[in-house]
Amino acid sequence: MTGFVSFVSSGPGDPELLTVKAADRLRRAEVVLYDDLSAGPILDMTPPGAELISVGKRAGRASPRQAHVSRLLVDHARTGARVVRLKSGDAGVFGRLEEEIATLRQADIPFEVIPGVPSPCAAAAAAGIPLTRRGVARRVQFVTGHDVTGALPEELNWSALADPGAVTAVFMARATFPELAQRLIAAGLPEDTPALMAEGVSTPRQSLHRDTVGGLAGRLAVAQREEAPTLILYGALAE
């Protein structure tokens, strides 16, 4: 008796930004394993009696191991349940999707992946700017701001990230951005390159702050830690 797993991308947090397919899977779910950033009003779409299991990972907090999360997917699917794995943003962008899919394939459990609105797209929309600009910003790149230890990754392509003609989105960026900015400037990125810090995009906690790479790095170096998810865009941003 084998169930089915739907990897549902919840987008940045606003239920109205869910796809029709994502909303359908949530309404029919029997078990939902959800990330911290997918909690809140989106979970209200699940039916009464659905089992809701928090498996979110947040920096600086005790979090379930990835192997445990993957095992839960298999165990619940083997009961014949309709399982939703609810992931923030788009499931395929820094969402540990590959590990969970590999486990399901090994267990011969069918699944689907439902895409969603990536947070850089939602942040740019909230700020009223495009991510690309004809003749100015022809490339968009996504990068994570920390590795599994919480530190700035060492294997980053600094020449690509310091390209002022690209728009770069840094996920999970708050803690390491001062160091990241220092490395970018050393690699040739102008200190006055435009930057946008977006917190809690599409939620009641949304906050947008426009600055420069150097200015934002200085601000974050002395700022208190915030709980809202933070994304930073920098590069050839429109005014």
Side-chain angles (χ1 to χ4, degrees):
M1 185 176 182
T2 302
F4 190 84
V5 175
S6 297
F7 290 96
V8 173
S9 303
S10 68
D14 182 353
E16 292 187 340
L17 293 179
L18 287 170
T19 65
V20 173
K21 182 179 283 190
D24 172 75
R25 299 304 187 268
L26 284 167
R27 293 189 183 106
R28 296 193 292 119
E30 295 171 297
V31 179
V32 180
L33 282 71
Y34 65 93
D35 289 344
D36 284 359
L37 301 183
S38 299
I42 288 177
L43 291 178
D44 293 339
M45 302 178 69
T46 58
E51 184 176 0
L52 306 181
I53 304 170
S54 174
V55 293
K57 300 177 178 65
R58 295 293 293 273
R61 296 183 186 177
S63 303
R65 294 184 178 276
Q66 184 58 50
H68 175 66
V69 177
S70 298
R71 190 73 246 167
L72 284 174
L73 287 174
V74 171
D75 291 345
H76 284 286
R78 280 180 171 164
T79 69
R82 291 189 295 270
V83 180
V84 164
R85 177 65 175 97
L86 188 62
K87 291 178 174 286
S88 61
D90 181 89
V93 180
F94 301 121
R96 303 293 291 268
L97 177 64
E98 187 172 16
E99 293 96 322
E100 294 172 17
I101 284 178
T103 301
L104 293 181
R105 283 178 170 153
Q106 289 171 1
D108 200 27
I109 292 172
F111 66 89
E112 65 180 346
V113 180
I114 300 172
V117 176
S119 53
C121 298
I129 60 174
L131 278 178
T132 60
R133 301 172 66 195
R134 188 171 63 175
V136 179
R138 301 176 186 269
R139 181 164 57 88
V140 178
Q141 51 194 357
F142 295 171
V143 64
T144 178
H146 66 71
D147 59 18
V148 293
T149 69
L152 185 68
E154 285 296 329
E155 70 281 4
L156 297 176
N157 184 335
W158 295 106
S159 60
L161 295 179
D163 179 3
V167 171
T168 303
V170 189
F171 290 70
M172 301 165 284
R174 174 180 287 274
T176 59
F177 191 75
E179 181 185 355
L180 175 65
Q182 186 178 33
R183 298 281 292 270
L184 292 172
I185 293 167
L189 184 74
E191 189 173 351
D192 61 356
T193 298
L196 170 70
M197 182 171 70
E199 302 172 279
V201 172
S202 85
T203 74
R205 301 174 63 187
Q206 176 175 293
S207 173
L208 304 175
H209 175 76
R210 299 199 70 152
D211 207 324
T212 63
V213 166
L216 184 57
R219 170 190 172 104
L220 291 178
V222 298
Q224 293 184 340
R225 184 183 180 88
E226 296 289 342
E227 292 299 321
T230 302
L231 177 87
I232 294 174
L233 301 175
Y234 70 85
L237 300 175
E239 295 297 330

